[in-house]
């Protein structure tokens, strides 16, 4: 009887810091949406975005003055020291574009800006084609991931699942039911919650990420068992030992 009691107490202590299998699963609840793969909503340009704008015409010499080159003063640096050259959107939402001057770009989509620049260059160039991309698309992943940090990405089609993969995947103590996405859009800070266990996340407005999104994966309660200091561990074991000794005395007394 005493041996069984000791085993039971030890088992309870071990299980107090364990994560159950169902807590490690994604997409385990609800139904997948019937809508299929929806395209991400169009991104809008915001202050501090860095835009790659390339002007192409039948005459390369004519379009050359409208394209930035490595000697440009508008230069940024990304991971790996690879230079990023582009038009920086200032705090008021404007860029200075050759031949046109100041252009208000904040709140525009890439397609809308293309149209605006083509109209502005129509009297200066013949049949200008314009290619625009975001070149400082950055997200930050923090919390219960294996490699938290900020990541600069080469494209804008990024999901919260991609973010988790970039950060090395979720740890076993990640709370998959309450992932926080913090987003600044049009001067407003938005807070979104995503449940990775719910199959309907693909319809969430926060499933596709935006530039400068911050993703936080909070820990499960079991995480505290792995970071308690030595004093707490001593108190825990002392409490267990006292309870065990008391139980043994009760059993011995009852047997006599």
């Amino acid at each position: 009887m005493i041996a069984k009691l000791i085993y039971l107490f030890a088992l309870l202590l071990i299980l107090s810091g364990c994560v159950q299998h169902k807590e490690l699963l994604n997409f385990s609840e609800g139904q997948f949406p019937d809508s299929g793969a929806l395209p991400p909503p169009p991104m809008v340009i915001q202050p501090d975005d860095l835009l790659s704008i390339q002007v192409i015409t039948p005459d390369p010499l004519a379009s050359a003055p409208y394209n930035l080159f490595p000697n440009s003063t508008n230069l940024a640096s990304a991971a790996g020291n690879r230079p990023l050259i582009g038009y920086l959107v200032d705090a008021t939402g404007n860029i200075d574009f050759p031949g046109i001057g100041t252009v208000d770009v904040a709140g525009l989509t890439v397609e809308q800006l293309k149209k605006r620049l083509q109209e502005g260059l129509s009297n200066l160039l013949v049949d200008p084609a314009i290619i625009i991309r975001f070149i400082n698309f950055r997200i930050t992943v923090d919390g219960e991931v294996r490699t938290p940090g900020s990541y600069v990405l080469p494209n804008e089609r990024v999901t919260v699942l991609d973010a988790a993969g970039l950060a090395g995947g979720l740890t076993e103590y990640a709370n998959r039911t309450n992932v926080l996405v913090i987003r600044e859009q049009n001067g407003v800070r938005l807070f979104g919650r995503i449940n990775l266990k719910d199959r309907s996340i693909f319809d969430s407005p926060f499933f596709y990420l935006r530039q400068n999104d911050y993703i936080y994966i909070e820990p499960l309660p079991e995480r505290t068992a792995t970071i308690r200091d030595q004093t707490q561990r001593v108190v825990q074991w002392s409490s267990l030992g006292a309870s065990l000794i008391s139980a043994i005395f009760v059993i011995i007394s009852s047997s006599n």
Side-chain angles (χ1 to χ4, degrees):
M1 175 63 74
I2 295 177
K4 291 183 178 180
L5 190 60
I6 294 175
Y7 174 79
L8 177 60
F9 271 93
L11 182 61
L12 290 175
L13 183 63
I14 293 173
L15 292 178
S16 66
C18 292
V19 178
Q20 297 183 14
H21 175 258
K22 65 179 181 180
E23 294 177 313
L24 302 175
L25 300 177
N26 292 339
F27 321 125
S28 59
E29 300 173 357
Q31 300 292 326
F32 286 111
D34 297 328
S35 54
L38 297 177
M43 290 178 52
V44 296
I45 301 169
Q46 303 184 68
D48 295 327
D49 282 341
L50 190 63
L51 304 175
S52 168
I53 303 177
Q54 184 178 7
V55 180
I56 302 173
T57 63
D59 182 2
L61 292 178
S63 57
Y66 302 93
N67 296 314
L68 296 177
F69 291 93
N71 61 356
S72 170
T73 57
N74 191 358
L75 186 64
S77 160
N81 295 321
R82 181 173 59 88
L84 294 179
I85 305 169
Y87 291 90
L88 181 65
V89 183
D90 64 24
T92 61
N94 299 320
I95 62 172
D96 290 320
F97 197 81
I100 299 178
T102 300
V103 182
D104 183 8
V105 300
L108 299 180
T109 66
V110 166
E111 292 301 321
Q112 290 171 334
L113 179 55
K114 282 183 183 180
K115 182 178 180 180
R116 182 168 295 186
L117 294 180
Q118 284 173 333
E119 292 173 350
L121 295 173
S122 60
N123 295 328
L124 303 172
L125 299 172
V126 177
D127 298 328
I130 299 176
I131 301 173
I132 303 176
R133 294 191 65 179
F134 293 88
I135 53 176
N136 68 334
F137 189 99
R138 184 186 66 177
I139 60 173
T140 299
V141 191
D142 200 3
E144 286 298 323
V145 290
R146 304 195 185 279
T147 53
S150 295
Y151 298 87
V152 179
L153 307 176
N155 63 77
E156 301 91 48
R157 189 183 174 91
V158 182
T159 70
V160 68
L161 302 179
D162 295 325
L166 287 169
L170 305 181
T171 73
E172 60 270 28
Y173 294 103
N175 185 352
R176 289 160 166 78
T177 66
N178 199 23
V179 176
L180 173 65
V181 179
I182 301 176
R183 173 176 301 168
E184 292 191 9
Q185 186 169 302
N186 300 325
V188 178
R189 184 172 289 113
L190 305 175
F191 301 88
R193 298 282 181 174
I194 291 180
N195 181 357
L196 296 180
K197 298 173 71 66
D198 191 340
R199 295 171 179 173
S200 66
I201 66 167
F202 299 98
D203 285 338
S204 168
F206 291 91
F207 179 70
Y208 285 102
L209 301 178
R210 293 292 174 260
Q211 63 270 45
N212 301 315
D213 275 0
Y214 174 87
I215 303 95
Y216 175 69
I217 293 88
E218 67 179 33
L220 290 167
E222 290 85 352
R223 183 68 163 123
T224 59
T226 68
I227 58 175
R228 292 192 180 105
D229 60 26
Q230 293 302 316
T231 302
Q232 290 175 309
R233 292 180 183 274
V234 170
V235 171
Q236 184 183 35
W237 281 101
S238 298
S239 177
L240 175 63
S243 299
L244 186 58
I245 291 172
S246 298
I248 292 173
F249 273 116
V250 169
I251 294 173
I252 294 175
S253 300
S254 61
S255 62
N256 294 332

